Amino acid sequence: MKKIIVAIDGHSSCGKSTMAKSLARRVGYTYVDTGAMYRAVTLFAIRNGFFSEDGTIDSASLAGKIKDIRISFKTGADGLQKTLLNGETVEDEIRGMEVSGKVSPISALGFVREAMVEQQRIMGRDKGVVMDGRDIGTVVYPDAELKIFVTASDEVRARRRFDELEAKGGNRSTYEDVLKNVRERDYIDSHREISPLRKADDALVLDNSDLTFEQQDEWLMSHFIAATAD
């Protein structure tokens, strides 16, 4: 069975990472969470004071440090993948609402996307990877053998995100806050000038609003088997 690149794009909080991780585990591929990479850059910017009180980004300062930002992944003792920022595990910090509220404008910066795409291409140069994000099938790997575009209704995605935050404990956001954030991110992601969120012409569309995890996984696995058998 040949090795391929699986590119999974789609809207925020639609379960891309969950299905990508599941497929990677089942077929023995490397999973690359590109959204986590942009969240890690956002955390770096927050920590270094590159956001003003009105939310403006000191892009010049961030640009001067972008080559010093290295994102990697490791599997923790719990069997779950963790995101590392320059060697430090930051998985929990990058999933909070502070990072969620600032990641879209960071992701829209051309020099940030250029730096992250370079790292992503290195990660996938030997194939055998599953990547999820916003522009994997359109920019990072336009020649990926299997491209999936995932979506779900705004309300379903907000509920999933809210439930995730609640499960982690210490959540101070309301469902309405999360729904507003989901819609704002959709708008920014799809209207940015550089690498906007869009479906690749040859991508398969999956609306998982009413699907169980099991149904979603089997749908993806069937298409993976077909792509690797060609």
Side-chain angles (χ1 to χ4, degrees), residues 40-209:
V41 175
T42 303
L43 178 61
F44 181 91
I46 292 170
R47 286 179 169 181
N48 285 274
F50 296 158
F51 281 96
S52 63
E53 291 187 4
D54 65 0
T56 303
I57 303 168
D58 182 354
S59 56
S61 294
L62 180 57
K65 293 288 188 178
I66 195 66
K67 293 297 184 183
D68 298 331
I69 301 175
R70 305 302 304 175
I71 314 299
S72 57
F73 301 96
K74 72 173 183 180
T75 301
D78 55 4
L80 300 177
Q81 182 166 285
K82 312 294 184 184
T83 305
L84 281 68
L85 169 61
N86 292 334
E88 175 194 354
T89 301
V90 293
E91 187 64 32
D92 290 338
E93 285 185 84
I94 65 173
R95 304 299 176 182
M97 283 300 293
E98 182 180 17
V99 170
S100 293
K102 292 180 168 65
V103 64
S104 285
I106 286 287
S107 300
L109 296 171
F111 65 87
V112 172
R113 299 206 71 83
E114 181 179 344
M116 293 302 101
V117 167
E118 180 181 354
Q119 293 189 36
Q120 290 155 19
R121 286 177 174 160
I122 291 172
M123 292 175 185
R125 61 190 170 191
D126 295 325
K127 298 199 174 186
V129 299
V130 182
M131 286 195 186
D132 73 273
R134 301 290 191 279
D135 61 351
I136 310 306
T138 55
V139 175
V140 183
Y141 282 106
D143 296 327
E145 291 87 348
L146 178 58
K147 301 178 187 178
I148 309 295
F149 189 88
V150 191
T151 189
S153 71
D154 299 353
E155 293 78 11
V156 166
R157 290 186 288 129
R159 174 55 61 187
R160 289 172 180 168
R161 178 65 177 147
F162 179 77
D163 289 346
E164 179 185 333
L165 291 170
E166 285 285 287
K168 290 182 177 180
N171 177 36
R172 294 189 296 273
S173 302
T174 65
Y175 167 78
E176 288 71 23
D177 292 335
V178 178
L179 179 60
K180 180 174 182 286
N181 175 252
V182 163
R183 289 172 172 166
E184 287 176 345
R185 289 184 64 190
D186 283 352
Y187 183 85
I188 294 173
D189 290 345
S190 59
H191 287 78
R192 65 190 182 212
E193 292 185 13
I194 301 171
S195 302
L197 170 64
R198 67 175 180 82
K199 183 186 82 68
D201 293 339
D202 54 347
L204 301 172
V205 178
L206 173 64
D207 185 330
N208 64 11
S209 299

